[in-house]
Amino acid sequence: MNTPVWDDGQWSGLPQLEGALEAEVCVVGLGGSGLAAIHQLLRLGRTVVGIDAAAVAGGAAGRNGGFLLAGLARFYHQSVAEQGREFARRVYQATLEEIARMKAEAPQEVRAVGSLRIAASGEELADCEAQWRALRADGFAVEPYQGPEGEGLLLPDDAAFNPLKRCRRLALQALQAGARLFEHTPALRIRPGEVETPRGRVRCQRVLVAVDGGLERVLPELEGRVRTARLQMLATAPTEARFPRPVYRRWGYDYWQQLPDGRIALGGMRDAGGEAEWIWQAEPSQDIQCRLEQLLRQLGIRAPITHRWAASVGYTPDGLPIAEEVRPGVWAIGAYSGTGNVIGALLGQEVAWVLAGARPPRPLFLS
């Protein structure tokens, strides 16, 4: 059906934009990062119009694995080696604080259960040990782990949640706070001071394109720096309790969690698809879905499969997200390399300060 397990069918939807509107900022993309930016702009007293080509969190923001992971897309020791210890440490600390804030904001939505990184080989286990040493050296919580899932690391400050539910709640709160939001309203043309849609336009001082998968299609200037891949998942009917916390395995190429009602949400195998998975179309493929089903059965899960879906996700060569002004008055954030739930929220808040003409109080990516 290509419907994520997170969708309970209760969303009544938002209207399409028709006619002309004016706002100080137009946000293109109503996923986690775009909604975070909208909320921060509203707190800063700015008027905002937000549009999405599909629905709220209709892209990767509402179709991912539901992990809240601290740090950048690279494992911590890799981030230290590639980006420097000070930057890696500041980002990791900021993501920990953001996870805690999300939990405090909606305690019924976020399960503070930690996460596991499980090694699928001796090489990966050695890499887990390097990650453990780097995290411990900088005072972050991490524990060696050995259990039914395998051997690796326990990261106790990570969490799990329903990403679609959270985005829908943020959208409703933004509407109540004065934002004007529209679904099924693609941005046909983005230029300084105006965003044109099929049935209307938004005149504005600033534009923020907050898109993950397909960012290079919306802003061709980013072609070559952003590449979109298809990520696939499936989910089962409820089964007996097996996994108390989310699991990342095989360098993050396989991942799963068990939901509070007993259902299993499992994804990955992108690497097995090779070049065929570097596409914009977010439709499940038979090859990867068969591989995911095989993994599910290898884990001993016999429950019937109820959902199969895919999402488009943007990647960068260095694993760092895009965060910059690509045209005069037009900013872009996105391409989170598969881990945008926390980084995207932080970046949306940070760029909102810049769009409001102010310096972020604790800049991470925008100095």
Side-chain angles (χ1 to χ4, degrees):
M1 297 183 293
N2 204 15
T3 299
V5 69
W6 315 116
D7 194 347
D8 61 7
Q10 300 301 308
W11 182 245
S12 58
L14 300 177
Q16 292 178 277
L17 173 61
E18 297 188 5
L21 291 177
E22 292 189 4
E24 291 172 280
V25 181
C26 178
V27 175
V28 179
L30 297 178
S33 57
L35 289 164
I38 288 171
H39 275 268
Q40 186 61 48
L41 287 163
L42 292 171
R43 286 191 290 266
L44 293 170
R46 300 302 186 265
T47 57
V48 187
V49 169
I51 63 173
D52 198 288
V56 167
R63 306 175 72 83
N64 61 68
F67 288 29
L68 290 172
L69 304 180
L72 293 160
R74 301 277 202 267
F75 294 122
Y76 186 71
H77 60 300
Q78 297 170 323
S79 296
V80 169
E82 296 172 9
Q83 307 299 333
R85 170 161 269 106
E86 178 57 26
F87 177 70
R89 186 196 62 77
R90 287 194 299 113
V91 172
Y92 201 90
Q93 181 61 42
T95 54
L96 288 174
E97 293 172 4
E98 182 64 13
I99 293 171
R101 188 194 68 79
M102 290 179 175
K103 171 65 176 176
E105 174 186 81
Q108 302 305 314
E109 293 180 15
V110 177
R111 295 183 291 124
V113 292
S115 74
L116 294 177
R117 180 191 174 189
I118 296 299
S121 66
E123 178 188 3
E124 188 173 6
L125 185 58
D127 196 71
C128 287
E129 293 171 359
Q131 182 181 356
W132 177 84
R133 288 193 300 269
L135 286 166
R136 287 292 298 269
D138 285 344
F140 295 121
V142 60
E143 303 170 18
Y145 179 84
Q146 189 167 6
E149 301 88 349
E151 189 174 0
L153 298 177
L154 167 61
L155 298 122
D157 294 323
D158 291 341
F161 76 139
N162 179 326
L164 181 57
K165 182 177 180 180
R166 179 174 186 272
C167 285
R168 287 174 170 175
R169 175 177 55 78
L170 290 175
L172 293 176
Q173 290 174 343
L175 287 168
Q176 294 171 356
R180 290 164 289 175
L181 307 181
F182 302 91
E183 294 181 328
H184 307 292
T185 303
L188 300 180
R189 187 177 301 175
I190 300 171
R191 49 180 177 260
E194 186 176 72
V195 176
E196 183 180 338
T197 73
R199 298 182 180 181
R201 65 188 66 243
V202 181
R203 297 186 180 92
C204 52
Q205 299 171 12
R206 299 282 188 276
V207 179
L208 172 61
V209 178
V211 174
D212 191 13
L215 180 60
E216 73 275 33
R217 299 185 72 188
V218 181
L219 296 171
E221 297 95 324
L222 298 174
E223 186 73 41
R225 296 175 53 201
V226 176
R227 194 180 186 194
T228 294
R230 173 176 59 186
L231 303 186
Q232 300 192 45
M233 296 193 68
L234 56 76
T236 73
T239 186
E240 68 272 17
R242 293 172 180 261
F243 304 106
R245 57 183 64 85
V247 178
Y248 251 36
R249 196 182 74 168
R250 206 169 59 82
W251 308 95
Y253 280 115
D254 301 329
Y255 47 92
W256 63 88
Q257 66 159 300
Q258 188 159 27
L259 310 188
D261 63 4
R263 293 181 291 177
I264 302 290
L266 177 146
M269 291 288 173
R270 177 177 62 84
D271 58 322
E275 285 296 311
E277 296 308 297
W278 290 102
I279 60 174
W280 294 317
Q281 290 80 9
E283 295 288 336
S285 71
Q286 182 176 359
D287 176 44
I288 299 301
Q289 287 293 320
C290 285
R291 292 175 183 271
L292 291 176
E293 188 167 348
Q294 290 171 2
L295 173 59
L296 183 76
R297 303 315 180 197
Q298 289 169 7
L299 295 174
I301 300 165
R302 305 302 173 196
I305 294 169
T306 59
H307 296 71
R308 300 180 188 269
W309 73 97
S312 295
V313 175
Y315 285 78
T316 61
D318 61 4
L320 294 179
I322 295 294
E324 62 189 69
E325 188 175 19
V326 296
R327 301 173 189 169
V330 178
W331 281 76
I333 57 174
Y336 301 113
S337 298
T339 55
N341 285 328
V342 185
I343 287 290
L346 283 172
L347 197 48
Q349 296 169 57
E350 185 170 337
V351 77
W353 285 87
V354 178
L355 296 171
R359 188 176 189 276
R362 295 174 59 191
L364 290 174
F365 299 96
L366 305 172
S367 57

